[in-house]
Amino acid sequence: MAPAILLGEASPKDDIANTTAETTKTLDIIKEKDVGLMHRSLIEPPHEVVSASGSYIHLSSGATILDGCAGAAVAIIGHGNKEVLAATVAQMEKVSYVHTASYVTSSAEDLANFILEIPPGGFQHGLEKAYFCGSGSEANDAALKLGRQYFFEQGQLQRKWYVSRRQSYHGTSVASMSISSNLPRSIPYQDILMPNVAFVSPAYAYHDQRATETEEEYAGRLVAELESEFQRIGPENIISFIAEPIVGATDGCVAAPKGYFTGVRQVCDKYGILLHLDEIMCGMGRTGTYFAFEQENIQPDIVVIGKGLSGGYAPASAVLMSKKIVDVLKAGSAAFNHGHTYQSHPVTCATALAVQRIVRRENLVQRCALMGILLEKMLIDAFGDCRFVGNIRGRGLFWGIEFVKDKATKETFAPSQHFGYNVQQNAFKLGLAVYPGAATVDGVRGDHVIVAPPLNISVVDLGKIVRLLKEAYTQEESQVA
Ligand code: PLP
């Protein structure tokens, strides 16, 4: 049996947190890249929005912006939907708030039933209950606690470890940041993050798959690495493995190689470790299936969703838990030992339910899958031969374009070049919003932009996104000697 790991013992996170050289390098990158340590500058004012409808945002400057990324892959039904407005007002008229310790409202129950319902012939996801909160960070925090409680109820108190992946983003709260590996966001806080988190390699074929290995062999190598990390920590000490089925913000719409998630599921099962999937960005239809994990043909133990759950009409997220977890809680303390003031907020739930009803009625998930085929073709036609476009990848209406300095060697641009950032800024000046790529672990890889429009975007607007983005890219390309 592998030795038990004591808190404070060296962990892979030390590679990042305790390596002065790495930290210094990252700080240099932050300075060079001007990413800043804060989300919004205290000096530069943001763009003021006066109204938004459909796929368009109107600014106080008079400019109109085509929302090619639905905010941060949030606005799945576009902006300004009157049906959602009416449902929100109607719920406010009925009951705007009650505390969930004593009460429940039909809006929360109906939303839970609606999103967990499996339509005839639908994917058997195995999820049984939903816990609603406000943000993706909160949902991931709750999911980490849920995993711990699942083992606590079974007397497995030694299980304290979480395993996550490098180049991952799961939120900004202390716990969700602890399972993330996004240095520009976490650098001031490295010393206060949870110590009991280990990291394994991301699934990032474009850079990491060896020329000599097949996709399946690459997946097998990653799964073997995960298993050996489990053994290093002692699998009996681990609560869960956390991953995004399609990595959004850090990598830019990167799906795992074929066979990766089935391998991950098997290894987790072998040691009784929970599989916690983060679908905050890639879930709710965004990739052409309701849950992105459906395309991996696995059943997770815990799933977190957000963004598209309410399409941005209210701050909403959820932790979805499988029967296995619910059964243990029912047999034990009979409650998830968690909760906060605005959990299952009646108005938030009514709003999200209205959004989800529209998604189902208008077949937006199926439409997303079809429009995704079109978008893929448009992107490949427009960017496939471009000098600095290294990789175009994604699923459904969730696509990333990665820029590299040299397509043959995949050498990245120097951070000081701001290539992807400049493309995004050029696009904005042309009236198009795309989501910028965040700097990743070494601050260099993942120089990308994300296209993730509302799922009901028109074909004409989809074409316009690709055309404006190409123009923005061409402007930047011409700046490079
Ligand atoms: N998880 C993933 C995969 C995300 O993309 C995000 C946000 O971008 C989060 C979690 C955190 O969500 P929030 O910003 O709502 O706290």
Side-chain angles (χ1 to χ4, degrees):
M1 194 194 295
I5 305 275
L6 298 174
L7 294 187
E9 200 167 323
S11 82
K13 182 169 252 187
D14 298 334
D15 298 348
I16 299 170
N18 297 340
T19 310
T20 320
E22 189 67 30
T23 308
T24 311
K25 187 175 135 206
T26 308
L27 279 172
D28 287 346
I29 289 163
I30 286 168
K31 278 186 218 139
E32 274 179 53
K33 233 178 151 50
D34 292 341
V35 276
L37 291 173
M38 267 173 282
H39 222 57
R40 182 185 299 162
S41 167
L42 294 175
I43 299 157
E44 290 284 321
H47 304 282
E48 190 191 4
V49 177
V50 287
S51 66
S53 76
S55 298
Y56 287 87
I57 294 169
H58 307 285
L59 306 183
S60 59
S61 64
T64 292
I65 305 294
L66 174 53
D67 194 359
C69 53
V74 174
I76 49 171
I77 62 163
H79 302 273
N81 186 291
K82 296 284 184 284
E83 189 177 326
V84 179
L85 173 69
T88 305
V89 172
Q91 180 61 44
M92 279 204 171
E93 281 170 353
K94 260 197 283 180
V95 50
S96 56
Y97 175 77
V98 284
H99 197 277
T100 46
S102 317
Y103 308 102
V104 70
T105 60
S106 61
S107 68
E109 290 293 314
D110 291 348
L111 178 62
N113 289 332
F114 196 87
I115 59 176
L116 292 173
E117 185 185 331
I118 302 174
F123 186 82
Q124 297 297 321
H125 51 60
L127 301 165
E128 206 176 81
K129 286 213 178 281
Y131 173 93
F132 294 113
C133 34
S135 70
S137 307
E138 272 177 274
N140 271 318
D141 279 23
L144 296 177
K145 288 175 70 179
L146 180 66
R148 168 65 184 178
Q149 192 185 337
Y150 169 78
F151 288 113
F152 183 88
E153 303 263 351
Q154 299 176 85
Q156 297 186 42
L157 306 188
Q158 83 289 352
R159 292 217 191 228
K160 297 171 189 165
W161 278 79
Y162 299 94
V163 179
S164 184
R165 301 191 296 186
R166 291 190 283 279
Q167 291 176 213
S168 60
Y169 180 64
H170 301 289
T172 48
S173 60
V174 172
S176 62
M177 190 178 282
S178 298
I179 55 162
S180 303
S181 175
N182 187 311
L183 275 182
R185 287 190 174 200
S186 64
I187 200 104
Y189 316 113
Q190 281 294 324
D191 292 341
I192 60 157
L193 298 182
M194 285 162 40
N196 47 334
V197 184
F199 290 90
V200 292
S201 298
Y204 196 16
Y206 175 59
H207 284 283
D208 294 341
Q209 184 180 336
R210 295 174 187 146
T212 51
E213 66 191 353
T214 63
E215 190 177 348
E216 285 81 359
E217 285 166 347
Y218 172 49
R221 177 159 61 87
L222 292 172
V223 173
E225 182 199 334
L226 180 66
E227 181 163 13
S228 72
E229 185 59 13
F230 283 175
Q231 280 165 348
R232 191 191 69 78
I233 297 166
E236 69 285 0
N237 299 316
I238 301 171
I239 293 170
S240 58
F241 173 60
I242 303 121
E244 279 177 88
I246 300 195
V247 182
T250 44
D251 284 356
C253 307
V254 177
K258 230 180 278 143
Y260 172 80
F261 274 105
T262 37
V264 163
R265 181 68 274 185
Q266 279 162 11
V267 159
C268 286
D269 285 344
K270 183 169 167 188
Y271 300 109
I273 294 166
L274 299 174
L275 178 57
H276 161 172
L277 294 183
D278 183 340
E279 294 225 357
I280 298 289
M281 201 169 195
C282 64
M284 311 314 287
R286 170 62 55 200
T287 66
T289 46
Y290 198 64
F291 296 111
F293 68 75
E294 293 177 27
Q295 294 170 61
E296 308 301 335
N297 205 16
I298 50 160
Q299 287 187 330
D301 301 303
I302 301 175
V303 181
V304 290
I305 53 172
K307 299 187 190 284
L309 172 60
S310 67
Y313 285 84
S317 65
V319 183
L320 309 178
M321 53 200 94
S322 63
K323 180 167 170 7
K324 172 168 125 185
I325 301 214
V326 174
D327 285 349
V328 164
L329 263 56
K330 266 189 196 158
S333 63
F336 177 26
N337 191 17
H338 188 65
H340 49 265
T341 308
Y342 290 128
Q343 132 191 8
S344 300
H345 189 274
V347 180
T348 298
C349 290
T351 305
L353 181 58
V355 171
Q356 292 305 314
R357 284 192 168 130
I358 291 167
V359 168
R360 191 176 293 179
R361 193 183 66 222
E362 298 185 359
N363 289 320
L364 291 184
V365 180
Q366 296 84 336
R367 183 177 192 277
C368 169
L370 292 175
M371 292 288 274
I373 296 169
L374 183 62
L375 178 59
E376 176 178 13
K377 186 177 178 327
M378 286 174 168
L379 290 174
I380 290 171
D381 286 352
F383 293 96
D385 293 331
C386 288
R387 187 176 158 204
F388 299 124
V389 172
N391 193 228
I392 302 169
R393 70 285 174 120
R395 284 183 184 164
L397 288 173
F398 196 45
W399 283 81
I401 303 178
E402 181 165 339
F403 307 111
V404 287
K405 188 172 167 190
D406 186 323
K407 280 169 81 151
T409 61
K410 300 179 184 174
E411 183 192 347
T412 50
F413 281 108
S416 54
Q417 188 111 21
H418 308 297
F419 194 94
Y421 174 78
N422 288 345
V423 172
Q424 185 238 349
Q425 293 293 305
N426 292 345
F428 197 80
K429 285 183 199 130
L430 293 167
L432 170 70
V434 288
Y435 199 69
T440 57
V441 169
D442 59 13
V444 176
R445 303 159 92 200
D447 193 2
H448 61 258
V449 291
I450 293 178
V451 176
L455 306 190
N456 55 2
I457 185 129
S458 69
V459 174
V460 171
D461 281 342
L462 203 59
K464 193 169 162 191
I465 289 174
V466 177
R467 185 171 48 76
L468 292 175
L469 188 54
K470 178 74 181 283
E471 201 177 327
Y473 164 84
T474 308
Q475 286 175 2
E476 191 54 23
E477 188 189 87
S478 67
Q479 298 298 309
V480 180

